[in-house]
Amino acid sequence: MEKLMFVCHSCKVIWTLLVTVLGCASSLPVGEDSICAAEELAKYSITFTGKWSQAAFPKQYPLYRPPAQWSSLLGVTHSSDYSMWKKNEYASNGVRDFAEKGEAWVLMKEIEEAGEKIQSVHGIFSAPAISSGTGQTFSELEVHPRHPLVSFVVRIVPSPDWFVGIDSLNLCEGDHWMEEVSVDLFPYDAGTDSGFTFSSPNFATIPQDTVTEITCSSPSHPANSFYYPKLKILPPIAQVTMVKIKKNQLGLPVSYLNLEAKSNEITDSVSETPLDCEVSQWSSWGLCRGVCRKTGTKIRTRFVLLQPANDGMPCPNLDEETACQPDNCI
């Protein structure tokens, strides 16, 4: 009888331990693929703000043919089964065409095919282009518990294959949708064109490289339009803000945004990036000028490659003179 009571007591202990372990296991995070338990649908306003000013990015800032501007915004709401683009991975043909030429047809086709095959896409959204480096454009998007992720791309114009965007931002937090999200954006290289400057001619990267973030020191080349070796990080070139749209008593979304692009309406302070003067190498020394058998002078020159801006280091002297003895004297 005592043995039977001992066995029963042991069973109870084991059962208690199992319940405890299973309870703990159910509370463990399961990663990005965890199920969103928020309300069925949510709508957001999305505001894209360009911060590409000549003060913040003075080096080779495009003033004409064409001036600094932004392409239209193309985005998608989706599940983790789909990816529009990813850092350190190869860009698709659609992303390549969009980043290089602003053409969206192939990228939209890729999105539609992904939605049909694996039901990973909930919807596509877009916003108008911005005709200057600074300005805002607006749109709206809808997310679903099975499709809580947001991705988009905006091309930097002009550029070889540079863009800004977001990759798979999750707007769901457990059992609710986030009320507001704001993200600073920095430039990316699609890895399909080898140009260093905003106005570089089309020169395909063969073999294709992966998508990489452009920083103030990478690519580490003085010709790079974003090369600012004195900075620790680049200032944000753009920003995106998504705000959950509240519903009125009828259950309809309250839309308060004008969906037309607006230029030059940035109200926050703009950082000024100092830009040092850059000059060429010295030329060869010129002929020695002067009277025979007397000390003459000769000159060498250099020219300005890049004008200084925002209290950057001023340009040094562009010519230099030294003493010499005239040649060919009789």
Side-chain angles (χ1 to χ4, degrees), residues 219-289:
S220 182
H221 194 291
N224 180 16
S225 292
F226 286 110
Y227 185 69
Y228 296 95
K230 288 190 174 182
L231 295 181
K232 291 183 178 180
I233 60 171
L234 285 175
I237 196 171
Q239 185 182 63
V240 65
T241 301
M242 285 170 274
V243 180
K244 187 171 179 288
I245 299 175
K246 300 184 184 300
K247 295 182 178 180
N248 60 20
Q249 293 179 351
L250 298 177
L252 300 175
V254 180
S255 179
Y256 53 88
L257 290 176
N258 177 7
L259 298 183
E260 295 181 359
K262 297 182 181 180
S263 298
N264 301 318
E265 296 190 1
I266 309 305
T267 57
D268 58 343
S269 60
V270 177
S271 60
E272 292 189 351
T273 301
L275 184 65
D276 296 340
C277 177
E278 293 182 12
V279 296
S280 67
Q281 298 293 321
W282 287 110
S283 67
S284 300
W285 287 105
L287 296 175
C288 185
R289 299 180 181 276

Side-chain angles (χ1 to χ4, degrees), residues 305-322:
L305 295 173
L306 192 64
Q307 292 287 352
N310 304 327
D311 296 323
M313 187 178 296
C315 294
N317 292 332
L318 300 179
D319 53 69
E320 190 174 65
E321 186 177 290
T322 189

Side-chain angles (χ1 to χ4, degrees), residues 42-54:
K43 285 193 174 182
Y44 284 81
S45 65
I46 177 169
T47 303
F48 176 86
T49 302
K51 296 189 174 185
W52 185 18
S53 67
Q54 190 172 11

Side-chain angles (χ1 to χ4, degrees), residues 285-299 320-327 329:
W285 287 105
L287 296 175
C288 185
R289 299 180 181 276
V291 180
C292 285
R293 291 179 292 278
K294 291 186 178 180
T295 301
T297 59
K298 59 182 177 180
I299 296 174
E320 190 174 65
E321 186 177 290
T322 189
C324 62
Q325 293 296 322
D327 298 328
C329 286

Side-chain angles (χ1 to χ4, degrees), residues 78 82-87 150-152 165-169:
H78 59 95
Y82 171 78
S83 174
M84 176 182 270
W85 66 275
K86 278 191 179 299
K87 183 180 177 180
V150 176
S151 297
F152 71 81
I166 277 181
D167 166 38
S168 303
L169 175 66

